[in-house]
Amino acid sequence: MANYDPNNIFAKILRGELPAYKVFEDEKVFAFLDIMPRAPGHTLVVPKAPARTIIDIAPDDLAHVIKATQNIARAAMTVFAADGITIQQFNEPAGGQVVFHLHVHMIPRKNGVALKPPLSFKEEPAVLSEHASRLAGALQG
Ligand code: 5GP
């Protein structure tokens, strides 16, 4: 397996070198909207620790990512009036990974509505901004 590349896009977002539509942050996790959402509210949950995949992340850091994903999923059910949630996590090119900093996809779902294909649609900034602020607001309580 390749080493962690500190110049991947999500590492740059974590360092504040690239912008993101932030949904949640604590000492170990950062969550932000996917700019090419497969459904409204599609969120990426990443560890702050520099892990490439599920193979190299420390178990405690992985547990923290999953706990945060659950919290965000609970809030997203209400905010996006979702009927369900799809969780995806890809590792290495063979596993479908495109950005090489571990991330979990949290995708709100509606009955009968298919996911858009990956990387097929870039959402408008105003829509992303509104979705991020609603989800972040729900997570703050
Ligand atoms: P994966 O590596 O799990 O296949 O997917 C990477 C995800 O990152 C894709 O869903 C893609 O839309 C998303 N993505 C790629 N570049 C950016 C970016 O610059 N900002 C954000 N927020 N998402 C991105």
Side-chain angles (χ1 to χ4, degrees), residues 20-133:
Y21 296 91
K22 182 166 113 174
V23 164
F24 175 78
E25 180 174 14
D26 67 13
E27 75 283 3
K28 289 192 156 195
V29 163
F30 192 79
F32 52 100
L33 294 185
D34 196 308
I35 56 170
M36 290 172 271
R38 300 190 64 189
H42 183 167
T43 299
L44 303 170
V45 187
V46 311
K48 290 187 173 176
R52 178 178 167 96
T53 72
I54 200 166
I55 306 300
D56 66 324
I57 189 170
D60 284 351
D61 288 335
L62 178 62
H64 203 88
V65 169
I66 295 300
K67 285 180 191 172
T69 303
Q70 183 189 41
N71 282 338
I72 296 165
R74 286 173 169 165
M77 287 292 288
T78 305
V79 169
F80 296 99
D83 300 308
I85 300 286
T86 295
I87 301 293
Q88 295 180 316
Q89 199 278 313
F90 305 118
N91 302 280
E92 298 295 344
Q97 188 175 13
V98 173
V99 178
F100 298 101
H101 181 111
L102 181 139
H103 51 280
V104 173
H105 297 255
M106 187 292 304
I107 311 176
R109 303 297 303 275
K110 297 270 201 189
N111 288 326
V113 179
L115 291 178
K116 291 187 173 70
L119 312 176
S120 64
F121 159 74
K122 196 160 183 202
E123 185 55 275
E124 291 297 325
V127 173
L128 292 169
S129 187
E130 197 249 343
H131 286 176
S133 73

